[in-house]
């Protein structure tokens, strides 16, 4: 496994891979890896000849009073996990390598970036789209892998890839959860034991709505109300929205097309996000 910090060195290393006509998979991360990241790496290794993992805590996507300074970092641990997972290359650039002096060009996402997290984190998806686009240009992968937990991020990146004619397949890997249902996140380490217990309200609310949907309920307000009852245990519910999977617009009742129930909530001072897809595939829910 190679650990590379410079774009020029990365391009030299991958030139040989392309000349050998090998398929390159890419897993962009902010480090402090967990089983969710390892699932992305496994998916890449299962379909690609070479897997590149980037580890870069992107400063531009953290807003005022967000947790950039205390975001968890442990490169030695990440390196060991990547080596064990048989990653080919770790790309771990500095902020100066990604954003050189006088950097001023950004990718401006559209409507998909406005609702949900976008409504509460101005500029967040602009920063995400920009850094991912830059990483795509640096790695030039055939396939890139993202987790479904960050559903809106996946939608923004997929749209950007299409709009900018980037020759990259975007693969979304199902959310990996702890045995009790909590979605894996690097931020889970911030939770105290009491907060960790109360955070289960998030997945339990989503699962309750999903079960009701599976039983035939198609009224959006009913599904949201069921999830909201469980979410009374969180300290602050930022949003709970049922949206159309393709557009992220508020889903209309009765639900006829695939939708996703998305939540962002604070438990203590930790902001957690999660979602569950509601996409029964009977005739009335398939787009024409």
């Amino acid at each position: 496994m190679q650990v590379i910090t410079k774009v020029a060195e990365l391009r030299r290393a991958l030139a040989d891979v392309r000349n050998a006509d090998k398929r390159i998979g890419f897993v962009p991360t902010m480090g402090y890896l967990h089983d969710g990241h390892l699932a992305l790496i496994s998916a890449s290794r299962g379909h690609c000849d070479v897997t590149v993992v980037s580890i870069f805590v992107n400063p531009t996507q953290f807003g005022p009073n967000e947790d950039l300074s205390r975001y968890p970092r442990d490169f030695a641990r990440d390196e060991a996990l990547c080596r064990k997972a048989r990653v080919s290359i770790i790309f771990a650039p500095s902020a100066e390598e990604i954003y050189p002096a006088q950097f001023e060009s950004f990718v401006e996402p559209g409507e998909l970036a406005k609702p949900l997290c976008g409504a509460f984190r101005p500029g967040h998806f602009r920063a995400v789209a920009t850094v991912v686009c830059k990483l795509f240009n640096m790695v030039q992968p055939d396939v890139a892998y993202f987790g479904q937990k960050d559903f809106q991020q996946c939608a923004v990146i997929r749209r950007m890839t299409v709009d900018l004619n980037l020759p990259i397949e975007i693969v979304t890997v199902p959310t990996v959860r702890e045995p009790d249902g909590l979605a894996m996140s690097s931020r889970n380490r911030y939770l105290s034991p009491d907060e960790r217990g109360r955070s289960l309200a998030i997945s339990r609310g989503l699962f309750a709505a999903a079960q009701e949907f599976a039983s035939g309920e198609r009224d959006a307000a009913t599904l949201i109300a069921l999830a909201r009852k469980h979410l009374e245990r969180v300290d602050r519910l930022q949003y709970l929205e049922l949206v159309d999977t393709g557009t992220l617009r508020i889903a209309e009742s009765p639900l006829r097309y695939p939708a996703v129930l998305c939540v962002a909530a604070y438990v203590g001072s930790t902001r957690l996000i999660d979602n569950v897809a509601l996409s029964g595939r009977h005739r009335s829910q398939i787009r024409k």
Side-chain angles (χ1 to χ4, degrees):
M1 184 181 74
Q2 295 177 267
V3 177
I4 296 175
T5 61
K6 299 295 185 181
V7 175
E9 183 183 353
L10 177 70
R11 287 176 171 162
R12 284 195 297 270
L14 291 175
D16 293 337
V17 173
R18 292 190 187 87
N19 289 337
D21 200 28
K22 292 183 177 180
R23 188 169 171 86
I24 300 171
F26 178 44
V27 179
T29 84
M30 293 210 300
Y32 209 77
L33 305 183
H34 51 66
D35 284 350
H37 298 111
L38 296 181
L40 304 181
I41 292 170
S42 178
S44 175
R45 290 199 65 253
H47 296 92
C48 300
D49 302 297
V50 170
T51 293
V52 179
V53 173
S54 65
I55 296 176
F56 177 64
V57 180
N58 179 33
T60 64
Q61 70 189 65
F62 290 80
N65 303 316
E66 292 189 341
D67 58 351
L68 173 61
S69 62
R70 70 185 189 110
Y71 192 85
R73 297 165 172 86
D74 190 338
F75 186 79
R77 174 180 171 275
D78 291 342
E79 184 179 1
L81 286 172
C82 285
R83 193 176 299 278
K84 184 176 180 180
R86 299 173 66 186
V87 167
S88 307
I89 295 173
I90 291 177
F91 179 49
S94 65
E96 292 73 23
E97 187 73 5
I98 298 294
Y99 301 111
Q102 300 180 359
F103 178 86
E104 60 179 20
S105 301
F106 290 85
V107 176
E108 193 68 55
E111 294 300 312
L112 291 174
K114 293 180 179 179
L116 304 174
C117 288
F120 294 91
R121 303 183 72 189
H124 172 73
F125 287 115
R126 178 178 187 254
V128 169
T130 299
V131 75
V132 171
C133 186
K134 286 177 66 67
L135 289 168
F136 280 177
N137 286 330
M138 293 169 183
V139 178
Q140 297 181 19
D142 298 287
V143 192
Y145 296 84
F146 297 86
Q148 184 180 321
K149 181 180 74 71
D150 299 296
F151 185 86
Q152 186 175 16
Q153 173 180 279
C154 292
V156 168
I157 290 169
R158 192 181 300 275
R159 183 74 261 163
M160 176 193 75
T161 303
V162 171
D163 288 350
L164 300 185
N165 302 107
L166 302 178
I168 301 168
E169 178 186 357
I170 305 299
V171 173
T172 302
V173 176
T175 300
V176 177
R177 299 182 179 277
E178 302 285 356
D180 57 12
L182 181 67
M184 288 191 174
S185 169
S186 299
R187 290 184 169 92
N188 290 350
R189 72 183 297 273
Y190 299 155
L191 300 168
S192 70
D194 172 69
E195 291 166 349
R196 175 66 175 74
R198 290 189 292 111
S199 69
L200 297 180
I202 296 172
S203 57
R204 287 172 180 169
L206 295 176
F207 294 161
Q211 182 59 50
E212 194 69 10
F213 177 87
S215 298
E217 180 61 64
R218 294 295 181 269
D219 182 70
T222 299
L223 295 169
I224 290 173
L226 181 58
R228 192 180 296 275
K229 285 179 61 177
H230 290 267
L231 288 162
E232 291 174 356
R233 294 197 66 200
V234 304
D235 292 297
R236 178 159 64 96
L237 179 61
Q238 192 171 71
Y239 67 75
L240 175 65
E241 299 283 1
L242 185 54
V243 298
D244 180 279
T245 299
T247 66
L248 302 190
R249 294 172 184 157
I250 298 298
E252 297 180 354
S253 297
L255 298 178
R256 293 175 296 161
Y257 303 129
V260 59
L261 184 59
C262 300
V263 60
Y266 282 88
V267 182
S269 61
T270 303
R271 184 180 185 271
L272 301 173
I273 62 171
D274 201 351
N275 64 80
V276 65
L278 307 180
S279 55
R281 305 301 292 178
H282 59 68
R283 183 180 301 272
S284 66
Q285 292 171 280
I286 299 175
R287 289 184 189 273
K288 299 295 185 181

